[in-house]
Amino acid sequence: MTPALELDCRAMRCPLPIIELARHLHDVEVGEVVGVVTGDVAARVDVPAWCRMREQEYVGEDRAADGVARYLVRRLG
């Protein structure tokens, strides 16, 4: 899946990837996907939890081109 916006959070640790996601979610249209690329292992739990709290859709996890984990979030509103 190709996100409409990919956030490079590789050098960031919890909670900074989530803060970046919250800051940039409205940079995409409703229905589009934001990818959060981070090596922070906490993101595997934090991103889905944030989606539940903020009523956004957690699409899943894949890998960026360099193999780093990428967490995909669809903006619902």
Side-chain angles (χ1 to χ4, degrees):
M1 171 177 288
T2 303
L5 175 64
E6 184 170 282
L7 303 175
D8 182 357
C9 300
R10 286 173 178 84
M12 298 178 186
R13 297 293 172 244
C14 181
L16 295 177
I18 297 301
I19 292 170
E20 284 298 297
L21 173 58
R23 282 185 45 205
H24 292 284
L25 184 66
H26 291 283
D27 291 351
V28 301
E29 298 294 323
V30 171
E32 291 185 322
V33 173
V34 176
V36 181
V37 180
T38 181
D40 181 13
V41 296
R44 182 168 280 141
V45 173
D46 291 348
V47 173
W50 182 87
C51 288
R52 285 189 302 273
M53 290 187 317
R54 299 295 180 203
E55 298 180 343
Q56 304 302 318
E57 180 185 354
Y58 177 64
V59 177
E61 176 183 346
D62 65 3
R63 297 280 169 188
D66 62 358
V68 175
R70 178 172 65 182
Y71 303 92
L72 303 167
V73 176
R74 185 178 320 279
R75 180 179 171 201
L76 297 181

